[in-house]
DNA sequence: GTTCGACAAACTGTCGACAGTCGACAGGTG
DNA sequence: CACCTGTCGACTGTCGACAGTTTGTCGAAC
C-alpha cells in the first residue's frame, strides 16, 4: 500500500482500523452530498481512490448499510440511500416513539445532576446557535437528545437512537439547513428541560410531541421543496 | 472450492449468497447453543469447517454483529453475545416502547381485514401450542407481533422491531422454553386483539403493557435460573 | 513455588487475483 | 423501425496469501 492515501493525513499514526476510516470518509461524503442520493458506488473505484484494497471498503459499506446510509443490491453493489417524504415521516415517528419512552422513564428519577448536565448542554447549543456551522449546531442538538436518552438508563434504547441518528444526519443534511429560527431552538429545548424538572409525565409527553412534531414538519417540508 | 460444503448444499436453482448461508448457519448455531454464550469464534476454523473462505464468514459475522448476536473486539475477533438480566430488561423495555407505539398507531385505523388476519394468526398459534416444537411456537408468536407492527404502517418501526427480534430469539432460546402455560399464550393474545377492536387507546396500552410485562418477567426469571 | 520474559502458534487485518454475472451496445432479423 | 441476440467490458463474490499482533507455553531466574 502506498504511504499516503486520500483518507486522512498518513503522517498521523493510524491506530484506527482502515474500515472505520473508510466508513468516516463515506459518511462525510454522503452527508456533504459529495455522493448524490441514489448514486451507485463502485468498490474498485473507491478503493483505488482511497489507496486501499477492496476488503475494508466493502466492510465499511456494509457498516453504512446497517446504519441506513447505503442500500445494497445483490451483484450490483451499493447505492446511496435516497429518502422520500414517507420514509422521513417514518424516521421521525420512530424518533418520537423512542424519545417519548426515554422522557417517561427519565422523569421518574430526574435529579439535580442530570438537570445540570442538560442545562449546560442547552447553553452550549445557544452559544453555537450564533455563528457556528450548521453541522455543529446539528451535532450539539443531537448531543442533547442523546443525553436525555442516555439518562433514561436503557442502553438498548440508546443504541436504537444511535441507529436512527445516522439517518437523521442524512435527512437534515439533505434539506441543507437546520431550524429556521436560532432562538426557537433554545426555547424549544428549555421547554423540554422544564417539563422534565416539573416531574409531570403528561407535560413531558406534550413537550416532546411538540418538539419532534416541529422538527418533523420542518424537515418534511424541506424535503418537499428539494424534490424536483 | 469443493462442490459440496457443510452448510446445506441445497441444489435449488436459486443459489443464495454464501454470506447469507453462513449467516443462517451461525444464527442457528447460536440459537441452538451449539456455540456457548461468550465463546470466541475463529474465522479460519469456521471457514474451514464450512468449506468456504474467510471473506464470506467475516461478512456474515459482521451481519450478526449488527443484529446483536455477536460482538467483536478489534484484533481479537468475534464472540457470541452473552446477555445478562439487565440487558434483557433493556431489550424488553425497548420492545414495549415499540409495541406500545405500534398499538397506538394501529388502533386509529383498525379495520376488519387487519382483525381477520390477526385473528387467523392467533388461531395458528393455538394450533401449534399443542404439540409443535418450541422454536415453532416462538416463531408464530413473533409473527403475530410483527403483524401488529407492520399494520401500524411505519416501515422504519418495523425494521427496529426486526432488529430486536434476533436478540429476542437469542434470549428466549437461552432460557430454553417458551411461556409456561400454552393456554395463557392464546388468552393473552386474544386480549390484545380485543383491545385493538375496542378502539380504546388506553385499553390497548394496558393490554400490551401487561403482555410484554409477563413475557419479560418470565424471561428475566428464566435467565436468573440459568445464571451460574 | 511463583513470576517474568522469550519464543512459537494462531489469528486478524489487509491485499491482489480470478471467475461468474450483470448491463450496455452493436449487429442481425422480422 | 422495433425487437431479439451475441459480444464485450466492468463489477461483485470469493479465494488464497502475507504481515503484524495477540495469546499461550515453556523455561529460567528469584
Amino acid at each position: 500500500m502506498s504511504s499516503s492515501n486520500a483518507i486522512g493525513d498518513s503522517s498521523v499514526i493510524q491506530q484506527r482500523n482502515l474500515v472505520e476510516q473508510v466508513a468516516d470518509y463515506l459518511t462525510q461524503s454522503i452527508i456533504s452530498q459529495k455522493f448524490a442520493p441514489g448514486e451507485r458506488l463502485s468498490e474498485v473505484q473507491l478503493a483505488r481512490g482511497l489507496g486501499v484494497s477492496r476488503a475494508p471498503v466493502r466492510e465499511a459499506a456494509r457498516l453504512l448499510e446497517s446504519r441506513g446510509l447505503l442500500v445494497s443490491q445483490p451483484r450490483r453493489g451499493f447505492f446511496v440511500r435516497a429518502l422520500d417524504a414517507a420514509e422521513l415521516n417514518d424516521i421521525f415517528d420512530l424518533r418520537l416513539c423512542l424519545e417519548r419512552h426515554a422522557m417517561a422513564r427519565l422523569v421518574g428519577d430526574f435529579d439535580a445532576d442530570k438537570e445540570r448536565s442538560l442545562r449546560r448542554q442547552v447553553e452550549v447549543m445557544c452559544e453555537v446557535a450564533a455563528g457556528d456551522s450548521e453541522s455543529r449546531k446539528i451535532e450539539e442538538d443531537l448531543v442533547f437528545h442523546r443525553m436525555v436518552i442516555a439518562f433514561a438508563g436503557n442502553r438498548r434504547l440508546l443504541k436504537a437512537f444511535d441507529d436512527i441518528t445516522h439517518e437523521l444526519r442524512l435527512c437534515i443534511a439533505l434539506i441543507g439547513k437546520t431550524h429556521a429560527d436560532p432562538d426557537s431552538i433554545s426555547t424549544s429545548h428549555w421547554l423540554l428541560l422544564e417539563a422534565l424538572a416539573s416531574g409531570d409525565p403528561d407535560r413531558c409527553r406534550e413537550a416532546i410531541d411538540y418538539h419532534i412534531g416541529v422538527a418533523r414538519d420542518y424537515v418534511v417540508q424541506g424535503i418537499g421543496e428539494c424534490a424536483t
Side-chain angles (χ1 to χ4, degrees), chain A:
Chain A
M1 181 181 124
S2 61
S3 60
S4 72
N5 56 42
I7 290 180
D9 211 50
S10 58
S11 63
V12 185
I13 300 164
Q14 297 178 355
Q15 291 283 6
R16 296 169 50 217
N17 274 346
L18 278 185
V19 175
E20 283 184 33
Q21 296 183 55
V22 176
D24 284 350
Y25 168 79
L26 290 178
T27 302
Q28 283 306 315
S29 299
I30 293 172
I31 298 285
S32 67
Q33 305 239 40
K34 183 176 172 183
F35 299 147
E39 181 178 345
R40 178 177 178 174
L41 299 183
S42 162
E43 293 178 9
V44 274
Q45 286 182 6
L46 286 175
R48 203 170 303 162
L50 296 174
V52 299
S53 91
R54 277 178 54 213
V57 171
R58 210 179 152 80
E59 261 190 50
R62 289 282 181 214
L63 186 62
L64 265 68
E65 183 190 11
S66 75
R67 290 177 179 170
L69 297 185
L70 294 177
V71 292
S72 75
Q73 294 182 21
R75 291 271 171 200
R76 295 217 47 212
F78 295 91
F79 299 80
V80 179
R81 171 93 174 272
L83 292 169
D84 58 15
E87 285 175 303
L88 237 149
N89 247 317
D90 285 353
I91 291 172
F92 271 86
D93 188 53
L94 176 59
R95 179 183 173 185
L96 176 63
C97 163
L98 300 179
E99 297 213 37
R100 262 188 194 165
H101 198 73
M103 294 276 286
R105 286 273 180 266
L106 179 55
V107 75
D109 63 338
F110 197 59
D111 56 34
D113 277 349
K114 294 170 183 169
E115 182 173 358
R116 202 175 311 124
S117 299
L118 289 174
R119 192 174 295 275
R120 199 178 309 140
Q121 179 59 25
V122 177
E123 287 167 1
V124 170
M125 291 170 61
C126 290
E127 290 176 14
V128 302
D132 273 282
S133 67
E134 291 299 298
S135 62
R136 178 72 193 281
K137 296 177 193 169
I138 294 170
E139 288 309 313
E140 296 299 340
D141 191 334
L142 289 176
V143 165
F144 176 87
H145 290 276
R146 192 174 191 278
M147 283 174 72
V148 170
I149 294 179
F151 283 152
N154 184 334
R155 304 179 75 87
R156 192 59 187 76
L157 183 69
L158 184 60
K159 182 171 177 293
F161 179 76
D162 284 339
D163 280 350
I164 68 169
T165 291
H166 297 105
E167 290 170 277
L168 284 174
R169 285 200 188 90
L170 175 60
C171 63
I172 291 174
L174 282 184
I175 67 168
K177 50 183 177 164
T178 177
H179 305 71
D181 187 4
D183 290 336
S184 70
I185 305 175
S186 57
T187 311
S188 185
H189 287 89
W190 285 125
L191 286 177
L192 288 177
L193 205 43
E194 284 172 15
L196 282 170
S198 76
D200 181 4
D202 292 333
R203 197 170 155 191
C204 283
R205 173 153 171 154
E206 280 177 28
I208 193 65
D209 279 15
Y210 176 77
H211 187 94
I212 305 292
V214 169
R216 184 200 57 208
D217 291 344
Y218 188 78
V219 172
V220 169
Q221 179 196 344
I223 211 80
E225 292 171 358
C226 288
T228 54

